[in-house]
Every structure is written in structure tokens, then in C-alpha cells.
Amino acid sequence: MRSMWKGSVSFGLVTIPIQLYAATENKNVSLRQVHESDGGRIQYKRFCSVEGVEVPYSEIVKGYETDDGEMVVLTDADLQGLPLSSSNTIDVLEFVPLESIDPLHYDRHYYLEPQKAAVKPYVLLRDALHKSGQVAIAKVALRQRETLALVRVHADVLVMTTMLWPDEVRKPDFAFLREETPQVRSQELSMAGSLIDSMSEPLFDPGKYTDQYREALEAVIEEKIRGGKGTVKPPTRAAKSDVVDLMAALEASVSEAKKTRKPAARKTPAKRSSSSSSRRPRAS
């Protein structure tokens, strides 16, 4: 794994230098949009809708669109003045039971690795958290955005999970919640309970489950590769088309050069005829 962030965990008066690693990875098969006839990639340009021109990255800034359609342009200088907590500190605020946090608030997960000189305080916080049965609530700034986070122990490693702010979690507002609740008979409830019991396991074992769609898609791709069907090499074709364009330009240049030299070729016989006439006997 490659570290994506370096900083420290601030735990009271204790500072623990750490490195941050993404704890999860997306295993989806990456598919690109391509031209069906030749497999060429479909590319998108950064296009200004006002001027109708392509815009380089150096001229792109952030903007906020108001309700009436006006655009508030925000420069890097505007964003630098915002009150962000230290971008290198995971600041522990309090400790709470894990059960008191609804998983709906969870966002992304990261492993925390101690730097060489910080193994002892790292182990101290890890073991203290494990013994207490609590998790740490912290604030951290990642990618220029401040977020809540919880720090807990998983497989003898501290794991940080970023969390959504309370106003980012939508409240369910469905019509059936405002209607009269249908009556469920005791026999139906008992039958549902029996079904749950029959399908219950003592622990969750994620190893029992696989992504069948991904496996099937990978099999289709592998079969096409082995059979040589439906595979193209867009980069090679693009190179050939460049060569063809270059050859066409060269041929046109040669043709044009020949046209410009034709008059000179015609003048040569004329000079020869004049010289031959000058050599005629004067008696004629």
C-alpha cells in the first residue's frame, strides 16, 4: 500500500505521528467509453459554454451557482482564507460507544500506521481504546475539506472512518409514514421471526460472498482476449492514421512541387531550339 497522507493523531497532550492509507479499494471492472467501430477512446474537453472555446487547467477555478443562475467565482485566494483545522492533525474531541453511532453516517475508511518513533504512543492509544470499548470522535481536514471522523481498533490497527455531517444525512420523508400503520397479526410476526431464525448465523463471514457480476464480466473479457474476437488496438490504428495523414501531405507537396517545375522543364527545349537555329549556316 502507498501512503496518501502524513500527519498526527492529537490525543490530549500526546501527539502520534502517523501515515494514512486507504483501507478499501474498488474492485469494479473499469470500462471505458469507446467508438464501436475502431475501439478509439471517447474524450471530453474542458469547454467554456460562454466563449465556446476549450479552456486550459490554468484558467479553471471553482464557482458556486446561485438559485437565480448567477455564478460566484471563487479563486484560490478566496479558499485559502477559510477556517480549516490543521491539515495534518487528527484532533480527538471525545470518546463514545460505537453502538451510539448509526452506520448511515459513515463515509470512507483509512488505516493509520505509526511512524517509527511513535509506535509506543500508538500502541498505548490502541490498547486503551480496545480496553474501554469506546471509539474516538475527531476532526480532520482531508482534500481541503473538514470532516468528522471516528477512530477505532480493527485487527490490531487504528482505523479512521470519516463521517458525514448531520445535515448531510437525509431524513426519510415518505407518504406511508404519515398514513395509518397497517395491523400485523401475531401469527405473521411469528412466522417472520421463524424465517429470520432459520437464516441466522452467529457471525458475519464476508468470505462467503463474491461479486458474481464482476466475475462473469471478467470471464467475458478473458474469453474475448483468448479468442481474439472483439479486440482492437486503437493506439496502433491512431498511429497509422497519423502516418497516412503525413504521407498524404508529402504526396501533395511532391505533386505541387512537380507542377511548379513543369514550366521550367518546357523552357529547356526552347533554349535548345534557339541555339540550334543560331548554328545554322549564314547563307540561309
Side-chain angles (χ1 to χ4, degrees), residues 197-235:
D197 291 339
S198 66
M199 298 177 65
S200 295
E201 298 291 344
L203 293 173
F204 171 59
D205 179 13
K208 296 191 304 182
Y209 306 97
T210 59
D211 188 344
Q212 295 179 344
Y213 176 83
R214 188 185 80 203
E215 292 174 351
L217 179 57
E218 289 174 342
V220 170
I221 294 172
E222 186 62 30
E223 181 65 25
K224 280 183 171 286
I225 293 173
R226 284 199 304 266
K229 296 180 180 179
T231 60
V232 292
K233 294 183 179 179

Side-chain angles (χ1 to χ4, degrees), residues 52-65:
V53 297
E54 189 174 357
V55 181
Y57 273 120
S58 59
E59 298 180 11
I60 297 177
V61 296
K62 291 181 171 59
Y64 175 82
E65 187 173 3

Side-chain angles (χ1 to χ4, degrees), residues 232-243:
V232 292
K233 294 183 179 179
T236 304
R237 290 193 174 187
K240 286 182 179 179
S241 64
D242 290 341
V243 172

Side-chain angles (χ1 to χ4, degrees), residues 33-42 230-235 237:
Q33 288 187 324
V34 298
H35 188 195
E36 184 179 5
S37 61
D38 56 19
R41 294 184 184 179
I42 303 301
T231 60
V232 292
K233 294 183 179 179
R237 290 193 174 187

Side-chain angles (χ1 to χ4, degrees), residues 46 55-64 71-79:
R46 299 174 299 276
V55 181
Y57 273 120
S58 59
E59 298 180 11
I60 297 177
V61 296
K62 291 181 171 59
Y64 175 82
M71 191 65 67
V72 181
V73 178
L74 300 171
T75 65
D76 291 340
D78 295 325
L79 299 177

Side-chain angles (χ1 to χ4, degrees), residues 126-134 153:
R126 182 197 68 185
D127 292 351
L129 277 176
H130 183 72
K131 184 177 180 179
S132 70
Q134 306 262 70
V153 182

